[in-house]
Amino acid sequence: MFRLFGNKKLLMLMLALMVFIALMGLTLGRRTGLTWPERFVKDTVSWTQGWFYKPARYVAGFFEDVHHLRQTYEENKILRMTLSQYAKDTMRLNLLEAQNKQLKEVLGFTERQKGADNYKYLVAEVISVSPDPYSNTVNINLGSMDGIKENMAVMSIEGLIGRVSKVSNFTSSVQLLVDMNGGAGGSAERQLEKGIAATVKGKEDKVFGTIEYYSNEKQGLVMTRISQNSESELDIGDTVVTSALGQVFPKGLEIGKVTDKKIGDFGITYVATVQPKATDFRHLREVLVVKVPEVE
């Protein structure tokens, strides 16, 4: 019985091998289409793969979208930083160009002044403006360590703007011409040493007067104590300069132009209105402190 069972197994194996060879012969030959078992297997495998492929594709697409989104976020972050830096660089460039232009103008002014006098001009930067509307004062970045002293004249490239009122080691305060209210009832402390001795450029030996205060009504400096003889020589449009008779401001510093003149209150002397050459006192950037050489 065991031998018969073994022969049956051999017989089944031989039969399966023959069927396999027959199927190989059928599939290797030229065919116009698939057999029904092949179609069944193919359709079954494709349908099964479809069920697994679609979720896998959605999951892979989701992670790919997340990656692209993060990459876009990083790129936008870099672009924002680059744009911010570009804006800072542009602002700094504009500021440097404005400062360069201003310094060139200051340099041109000092070069021109070398032929007119022997004063030394210390270039200072305005670092702050007094917030008090009743105190027309600015602070500069030069102090006693730089040779600054009280009552030194301070100019812009247009003309005289005031004097040094207070000095510390590294900074100083500058009292502006528009703070001259002594003649209009102000205190003696606000009179810029009780006025500026002045004359007219080109007529230094003919016209004399004193700049006493700034008139808000006339928007100009008031020049008083002009004698009758001086009045005849004083014309509208004349340039008023310091005369040095007051022993505070050195001579020859331009103050402004005469815009009006009239007889004084008592009919003895005349009064003139002088428009300062430096008109924008609240937006000063660089100023010049006038240092007069000491007489040996």
Side-chain angles (χ1 to χ4, degrees):
M1 186 176 68
F2 289 105
R3 181 180 299 177
L4 179 61
F5 181 75
N7 291 335
K8 286 184 179 180
K9 290 174 62 177
L10 181 61
L11 183 62
M12 292 296 294
L13 180 61
M14 292 292 294
L15 182 61
L17 181 61
M18 292 176 63
V19 172
F20 177 72
I21 294 173
L23 289 175
M24 287 183 63
L26 291 174
T27 57
L28 290 175
R30 292 186 178 181
R31 295 179 300 165
T32 58
L34 299 174
T35 61
W36 72 267
E38 291 175 330
R39 290 197 299 269
F40 174 77
V41 172
K42 183 178 183 300
D43 292 339
T44 303
V45 172
S46 298
W47 181 80
T48 305
Q49 286 179 338
W51 274 99
F52 286 100
Y53 175 73
K54 288 181 179 180
R57 184 179 60 183
Y58 290 143
V59 172
F62 171 76
F63 285 106
E64 185 176 1
D65 291 341
V66 170
H67 174 72
H68 289 163
L69 182 62
R70 182 172 182 80
Q71 185 176 7
T72 302
Y73 171 78
E74 294 295 335
E75 290 177 354
N76 289 339
K77 184 179 179 180
I78 295 173
L79 287 175
R80 286 195 299 269
M81 294 175 61
T82 303
L83 183 60
S84 176
Q85 186 62 41
Y86 174 76
K88 292 179 180 178
D89 291 341
T90 302
M91 181 175 64
R92 187 169 182 270
L93 177 61
N94 293 336
L95 179 61
L96 290 175
E97 287 180 347
Q99 289 179 342
N100 185 47
K101 181 180 178 182
Q102 184 72 11
L103 290 175
K104 283 183 177 179
E105 293 176 353
V106 171
L107 179 61
F109 170 82
T110 56
E111 290 294 329
R112 291 193 304 271
Q113 288 300 109
K114 285 181 180 180
D117 53 56
N118 61 343
Y119 303 151
K120 184 177 180 180
Y121 295 88
L122 305 178
V123 181
E125 182 181 354
V126 176
I127 56 177
S128 64
V129 179
S130 173
D132 184 359
Y134 299 102
S135 177
N136 294 288
T137 305
V138 298
N139 298 313
I140 60 176
N141 64 342
L142 296 183
S144 60
M145 300 298 292
D146 305 291
I148 305 299
K149 298 179 181 179
E150 289 187 5
N151 292 325
M152 278 186 170
V154 182
M155 301 184 64
S156 69
I157 59 174
E158 288 85 11
L160 185 68
I161 63 170
R163 71 174 179 96
V164 176
S165 58
K166 295 180 181 179
V167 180
S168 60
N169 288 337
F170 303 103
T171 61
S172 301
S173 297
V174 177
Q175 184 184 12
L176 302 176
L177 291 179
V178 291
D179 203 42
M180 295 182 64
N181 296 320
S187 64
E189 188 177 335
R190 294 166 59 99
Q191 294 183 34
L192 280 174
E193 296 298 322
K194 299 183 179 179
I196 304 172
T199 183
V200 172
K201 189 175 183 179
K203 304 175 183 179
E204 287 84 352
D205 57 343
K206 298 178 181 179
V207 181
F208 303 95
T210 302
I211 303 291
E212 287 196 353
Y213 63 94
Y214 181 85
S215 173
N216 290 319
E217 179 182 355
K218 296 182 179 180
Q219 291 295 299
L221 298 165
V222 178
M223 182 176 176
T224 63
R225 304 178 188 177
I226 305 172
S227 66
Q228 293 183 1
N229 294 334
S230 296
E231 187 275 335
S232 62
E233 298 290 341
L234 183 64
D235 298 316
I236 303 298
D238 281 348
T239 298
V240 177
V241 297
T242 56
S243 68
L245 296 178
Q247 298 181 350
V248 175
F249 292 89
K251 68 177 181 178
L253 305 181
E254 294 190 6
I255 301 173
K257 290 187 177 296
V258 178
T259 58
D260 179 49
K261 65 176 182 177
K262 65 179 182 178
I263 193 169
D265 294 336
F266 300 101
I268 301 175
T269 58
Y270 287 80
V271 176
T273 302
V274 180
Q275 178 65 45
K277 292 196 68 176
T279 56
D280 195 359
F281 290 94
R282 302 297 295 183
H283 297 87
L284 297 168
R285 291 185 177 180
E286 285 85 19
V287 297
L288 303 164
V289 181
V290 184
K291 187 174 183 180
V292 181
E294 295 182 1
V295 180
E296 297 180 358

